[in-house]
Amino acid sequence: MKVYFVVKEPSERTINHFVSSLGNALQKQGCEVAYGLKLLWTDEVLGYDIIHFQWPEGLFGLFGHQVTDEELKRVNQRLILLKEHGKKLFYTCHNLKPHTNKNENLLHLYELIYNNADYIHHLGNYSCEQLKSKYPNARHVVIPHHIYDDVYSFSITREEARNRLNIPENERIVLSFGKFRNERERDFVLEMQQTLGRSVLFLMPGFYRETLHTWNPKKLITRLYHTIRYKLKGIRFCNEAIPDDLMQCYFCAADVVLIQRLDILNSGSLPMAFHAGKVVVGPDVGNVGPILCDTGNFAFDPYDMRSAVSALQNALEATSKGGENKTYATEHWSSERIAASLLKYYQQALYRKHETE
């Protein structure tokens, strides 16, 4: 079976491990897997059995790209061509809508892919329930987010990780990984931190990503102010993206992983935290909330600070839960197991195609 993931090639820094890990696992199960954006626009794409879209934002390269009328028309024509040639189109629902890019044509692009997909792959039941009646022509399937077990081993000890990050052994550490997207997320976490006091160290490498390097005097002053302000408040953050080897140190050094997103559908930090053997706290929204509740972790109301603080305090008292999380992730979310589930639906799609021919 030949599978084409419509994303940038894994060799590029912009690739998400979600796709490369899944592709590697599918290859081990006998699939031929290709990546890249250029392939979509060539006749070579017609040689693939499954065309699997991921993020519509990435179809033209950068996620902040403003989709033009001509590009939207071009995608529509290509989808029509693929369907005319009997290609089976899959789409993984990472987001219900774009996070920040509100370009009107990008919203139309989402609709195009939703309406043309033969299968919509959901990472949890929430999005499946939200979309299955809106897009009844697609087959909606729920396959959980896999762990990146071919990328991260999380084998470093807590002590070794803390030594590398220069964190005292006796500190209680709350980690929030990933870039903070807006001030509401920052303000919410800052209030949580202030409520808990200095008894807990908040480790948040993506809390504030603006560097001091700028020729604009006004921006320089603003960035300097925020950098000093957040550091004085005890937030540990980093201005650079974190490489994979150091990323493992952050998770291994933590006691609790806090998902800081307040409006979220899925989170890659959740399976990573489970794989690292950490207890997880997050908002009771999207697919994230039900997973946390079903696995005995801690969910909170993103509009209720008392709920969030209580959930975090309970998590800090239940760090032994992390071992159960690791076992659960290994048994249920391995890339091999998730790829096998996805492959089953690929095969089903092709079987249905042959039935109708």
Side-chain angles (χ1 to χ4, degrees), residues 179 186 205-228 230-231 237-241:
K179 186 176 180 180
R186 290 193 185 95
F207 187 84
Y208 186 65
R209 282 278 172 85
E210 297 288 354
T211 67
L212 296 179
H213 305 295
T214 175
W215 293 105
N216 186 317
K218 186 178 292 186
K219 285 185 178 180
L220 176 62
I221 293 172
T222 300
R223 292 177 183 183
L224 185 62
Y225 166 75
H226 284 305
T227 298
I228 295 172
Y230 295 140
K231 285 187 181 293
F237 60 92
C238 177
N239 293 119
E240 305 293 335

Side-chain angles (χ1 to χ4, degrees), residues 163-175:
N163 283 337
R164 185 169 178 187
L165 296 173
N166 195 27
I167 298 172
E169 172 58 31
N170 60 346
E171 290 275 15
R172 292 196 297 171
I173 305 294
V174 172
L175 170 68

Side-chain angles (χ1 to χ4, degrees), residues 109-121:
L109 182 57
Y110 264 72
E111 288 297 311
L112 270 180
I113 293 175
Y114 276 132
N115 283 313
N116 283 280
D118 295 293
Y119 283 70
I120 297 178
H121 165 210

Side-chain angles (χ1 to χ4, degrees), residues 17-81:
H17 286 310
F18 179 95
V19 179
S20 58
S21 290
L22 204 52
N24 291 340
L26 285 167
Q27 285 177 325
K28 290 176 182 177
Q29 298 185 41
C31 292
E32 180 181 330
V33 180
Y35 312 87
L37 298 176
K38 293 180 181 178
L39 179 60
L40 180 64
W41 311 107
T42 69
D43 290 340
E44 188 180 345
V45 73
L46 300 178
Y48 287 83
D49 303 299
I50 302 294
I51 316 297
H52 196 146
F53 292 88
Q54 300 289 331
W55 297 270
E57 295 95 325
L59 274 181
F60 297 99
L62 299 176
F63 271 46
H65 175 75
Q66 301 298 296
V67 180
T68 66
D69 291 342
E70 185 58 35
E71 287 170 335
L72 194 65
K73 181 180 178 182
R74 189 180 177 202
V75 172
N76 185 44
Q77 291 172 339
R78 179 56 43 159
L79 292 173
I80 291 172
L81 176 70

Side-chain angles (χ1 to χ4, degrees), residues 129-187:
E129 292 302 316
Q130 290 288 307
L131 297 183
K132 66 182 182 181
S133 59
K134 188 174 181 181
Y135 304 103
N137 293 330
R139 174 95 188 269
H140 294 258
V141 299
V142 177
I143 307 173
H145 196 307
H146 58 287
I147 56 176
Y148 307 133
D149 41 9
D150 65 329
V151 181
Y152 307 114
S153 63
F154 298 110
S155 58
I156 186 172
T157 67
R158 181 174 180 269
E159 292 72 26
E160 290 170 332
R162 290 187 173 208
N163 283 337
R164 185 169 178 187
L165 296 173
N166 195 27
I167 298 172
E169 172 58 31
N170 60 346
E171 290 275 15
R172 292 196 297 171
I173 305 294
V174 172
L175 170 68
S176 282
F177 206 85
K179 186 176 180 180
F180 279 62
R181 292 189 182 133
N182 52 56
E183 287 304 313
R184 182 172 174 242
E185 289 178 357
R186 290 193 185 95
D187 291 343

